[in-house]
Amino acid sequence: MHASAERADRAPGAPTAVLTGALADAIRALGGFAGGVYLRSGTPGVLRMAVLAGLPGTLFRPWWQLHLDRPFPAADAFRLGTTIVLPDATDTMRRYPQLAAGLPFRFGSVYAPVTGASTTYGVLAVLRPPAPDGTEALPERERVAELADELGAALAVLEKGGTPVAWDDDPVCIRPPAQPAPAGRIGRFSWDPADGTVSADDVVRALAGGTARALGASPQEFAAAVTPDDAHLLLAALREAADGSPPPEPLRVRAADGGLRLLELRTVGGPEVSAEPSPSAAGSPPYRVDGLVVDPGPGSAADGAAGLLPDGVFAFDRLGVVTYVNPRAAELLGRPVEELLGQLLWEGVPWMDPPAYKDHLRAALLSPEPVHFQVRRPSPAGHVPGPQRSAGDWLTLSVHPGPDLLTCRVVPLGRMADTTEAASGTPLPGEEESAAHVASQAAEYRPIVLAIALTEAVTARQVSEVVMRELLPAFGSRRLAIYLLEEDRHLYLAWEYGFPQGFLSDFDGVSLDARLPGVDALTGGRSLFFESMEQLADAYPGLALDAEEGARAFLPLIASGRPVGCCILGFERSRTFSTEERTVLTALAGLIAQALERARRYVADDALARGLQEALLPHRLSTHPLTETAGRYLPGTQGMDVGGDWYDVVESGDGLALVIGDVQGHGVQAAATMGQLRSAVRAFALGDHPPDQVLSSTNRLLIDLDPGQFASCCYIRLDPVTGHALAVRAGHPQPLLRHPDGRAEVLDLPGGVVLGVDSRATYPVTELCLEPGAVLALYTDGLVERPGADIDDGVEMLRVALSQAATRPTTPGGSSLEILADLLTDRARHAIDRPDDIALLLATRRAAKGDTAGA
């Protein structure tokens, strides 16, 4: 489903209708004010927003695209397949600090995976007012999950019918589900192409001429009554909406009296969910079209009264379209009323476009409380700007959010729109406020997210990816290069983006005595900014340039006084760098340097820990003619720390000891403790001690060593000849047993507490019988745990996989147990995100001569 926000390029019909209908239902069900639908894109690992309701797309452009490896709730909902509920801003900050930093406003949100036919297509998200008590309501969670499943089922039908369900364009922006309209201001109508009739409420009839006869019943009569001169425009928009592509923005037309009318159209319905899609099935185009007719001009007594107010008053809807302006507001904003009505606020008033002002508008759209802030008007014609500019150049805006419209009062600085109410989150200046304060907010908005994201990046590649995703969009940069200092003598290219292919190769490995801007920035310890390529060429004659036009910033990467490297930002056009931007970029370069230095230490520590762990894990398992064993170990992918999981097979008397364990924590200490425990268990097993004594002795040893860690363990002594086994468990997941007939079960072994906690702990022994052909599976929790999911569900999935694998053919000449071990760890091996390390040990028994059991 490849669609575009532009009508001419959007795929016809069902996709848009299905998405908008489901989103509207979800917003109604949760009492929300906005929402969106993310879908898979053509880029692996990236979701794109397909539909956005109740919010202006321009203001929320940074959220149009979402990488699945980012710590955001929508990404987690997609990856984990679970609904995520954030009741309020406090819970959002606790669980998803990057989202809270990017949108630091008071609202709650819900995210549900859109799944159909075992395929996850995207995420349904709803924004709503914060929960009063900060808790979530279970029925609401279940309801949005049901709606997401219904949407997934509909998308599955589309995909089965040959429509690819993916999105690679800008989102379609729609209004939220309609609230009750103010009388005399907004009318509603509906057109059903099936019978060709238009139905409308009394408000539309009044706006169209005052009588039912004037309105008519056909779309042609309706269009002629509402807008005689622009009837052709309305008819064309109705036809496009019926095909599933309603106009993304309000349609501006003129009524018979010359007054402005805004028409909103929305497609209703979509393909019915059925087992077999059919071209003739209900839900194919044309669709029913619902619409609004808005009269934004003066006409009511309230409008007349507002026109007499000394304060400016204007209103805009949740897509940012101005619907009302009184004369005083038009005067203060410096634009005629007719040039503001029907326009996006930041387009009708261009000087309100800077990011700092947009951030305040975002707050008004997402927060339940009024938002107050100051804006600076441009100098009037003939006025000379300077430090003598008066407070009259500043305006105070107070935006009051509503379900459909946001009302704004605007007054000159020095008066407050709401008597003595102070500005929320923005300090009021005295007679004059520095523009630097406003500019600094623009520079700080997205970099706050960068600072938080850098704390989670633990490799140089991850640091570079964070810089590319967060820093470049924040400052409008299109090119990035990061060089790292090696052996304190040479700079080597570690990451590049946007530069012509091969251009940076000539600068790879340059020494610190080279006459280059990146080298000078690092050795001089100061950032270098060039506002044009001409400036750069003048400063460094003969330097090869990658473009004729643009600007460049060379930022030294220095951590705790130690040079780390250099970061280069490239801009496509010449530009100036304000003092605030230079300061923020230089400070952020320090954060980047610290993150890269931390990554370098991680690499060194990781090499040590992995080397230690590799030396401690068994390279060869003890064998017996009547048994076959197979083991697997997979390290975690989050961070660079290895874990403390281990497995072993040890000769114990005339039998074999099967051992698996998991030391709490990660890193060198966990690996070292694992080595000590493995050696202890191995020594006790070789002495053929009873299983309960093996764990009791190991428990006391761990307490005596006092490493500040505990461990779980499962120990089973097997007699390969008879199949008799004795099992003990210390806080470890229950083993699985697959019988010769393919049935698999979760064993129910009584157990004791984890090792290293209670020196008097005891470990009960359970007797088992391993028949010839049966398979015993021991594993650590990393194989069955999923964030946000119950571990019992993971164990059940493993049990099913173990049972189903019994029917799969074995590769000729291959080990069936080795193949089974690969099958059981295949999903984890290919997972993008593996939070914990994984150990697996399988054992099976061959029939002894004369033993017919299980044959």
Side-chain angles (χ1 to χ4, degrees), residues 618-631 648-658 682 686 718-721 817-818 841-844 846:
H619 296 277
R620 183 182 62 84
L621 300 177
S622 298
T623 61
H624 188 281
L626 296 180
T627 62
E628 181 185 354
T629 58
D648 208 350
V649 179
V650 188
E651 294 182 7
S652 184
D654 56 359
L656 291 177
L658 310 174
R682 189 175 186 85
L686 288 170
L718 172 66
D719 184 337
V721 176
L817 211 61
E818 294 289 340
L841 178 61
L842 303 178
T844 188
R846 304 185 182 97

Side-chain angles (χ1 to χ4, degrees), residues 775-842:
V775 176
L776 189 64
L778 308 180
Y779 54 91
T780 56
D781 55 8
L783 186 60
V784 293
E785 278 189 331
R786 302 286 185 277
D790 195 313
I791 190 173
D792 291 339
D793 295 336
V795 174
E796 175 61 17
M797 291 176 60
L798 181 62
R799 185 199 67 79
V800 172
L802 181 62
S803 177
Q804 292 177 345
T807 62
R808 301 189 182 184
T810 303
T811 304
S815 166
S816 60
L817 211 61
E818 294 289 340
I819 295 173
L820 178 58
D822 287 338
L823 286 172
L824 296 181
T825 56
D826 181 71
R827 178 176 178 179
R829 187 183 300 107
H830 293 94
I832 298 176
D833 186 13
R834 196 163 56 238
D836 199 2
D837 49 349
I838 293 169
L840 172 70
L841 178 61
L842 303 178

Side-chain angles (χ1 to χ4, degrees), residues 3-6 10 16 20 49-53 167 170-174 246-248:
S4 167
E6 298 299 326
R10 196 174 324 143
T16 303
T20 56
M49 183 166 291
V51 179
L52 178 63
W167 197 276
D170 295 347
V172 174
C173 297
I174 63 173

Side-chain angles (χ1 to χ4, degrees), residues 379-457:
S379 301
H383 182 79
V384 179
Q388 292 78 24
R389 293 185 67 182
S390 68
D393 297 320
W394 287 87
L395 302 174
T396 296
L397 274 65
S398 298
V399 185
H400 298 259
D404 287 327
L405 298 176
L406 291 86
T407 303
C408 181
R409 299 178 67 107
V410 53
V411 297
L413 185 64
R415 294 184 56 227
M416 284 300 294
D418 287 320
T419 63
T420 59
E421 184 177 4
S424 173
T426 305
L428 273 177
E431 289 301 311
E432 186 173 357
E433 180 180 58
S434 169
H437 173 70
V438 176
S440 68
Q441 293 177 359
E444 290 170 3
Y445 175 66
R446 292 280 291 174
I448 293 175
V449 182
L450 170 70
I452 296 177
L454 284 174
T455 64
E456 301 180 355

Side-chain angles (χ1 to χ4, degrees), residues 591-615:
L591 293 177
I592 297 169
Q594 292 173 5
L596 289 169
E597 183 67 9
R598 185 172 65 248
R600 182 176 294 176
R601 290 196 301 269
Y602 263 115
V603 171
D605 292 345
D606 176 67
L608 173 62
R610 292 191 186 279
L612 176 61
Q613 187 178 52
E614 184 177 350

Side-chain angles (χ1 to χ4, degrees), residues 267-306:
T267 301
V268 179
E272 298 296 331
V273 179
S274 60
E276 295 294 333
S278 170
S280 62
S284 58
Y287 302 107
R288 196 186 88 220
V289 178
D290 285 354
L292 304 177
V293 178
V294 182
D295 174 16
S300 68
D303 295 336

Side-chain angles (χ1 to χ4, degrees), residues 440-527:
S440 68
Q441 293 177 359
E444 290 170 3
Y445 175 66
R446 292 280 291 174
I448 293 175
V449 182
L450 170 70
I452 296 177
L454 284 174
T455 64
E456 301 180 355
V458 295
T459 68
R461 180 180 181 84
Q462 290 174 348
V463 171
S464 302
E465 288 176 342
V466 168
V467 174
M468 182 182 70
R469 293 176 188 168
E470 302 295 346
L471 188 63
L472 267 62
F475 290 88
S477 175
R478 297 298 180 88
R479 301 184 181 187
L480 169 70
I482 294 180
Y483 286 84
L484 297 181
L485 184 63
E486 300 289 344
E487 300 175 354
D488 294 328
R489 297 177 57 187
H490 296 88
L491 286 170
Y492 290 93
L493 182 63
W495 182 273
E496 64 173 305
Y497 172 78
F499 284 92
Q501 186 174 4
F503 173 77
L504 297 176
S505 300
D506 293 339
F507 304 98
D508 196 13
V510 297
S511 65
L512 292 187
D513 56 4
R515 178 80 169 87
L516 294 169
V519 173
D520 289 349
L522 180 60
T523 56
R526 62 187 182 88
S527 299

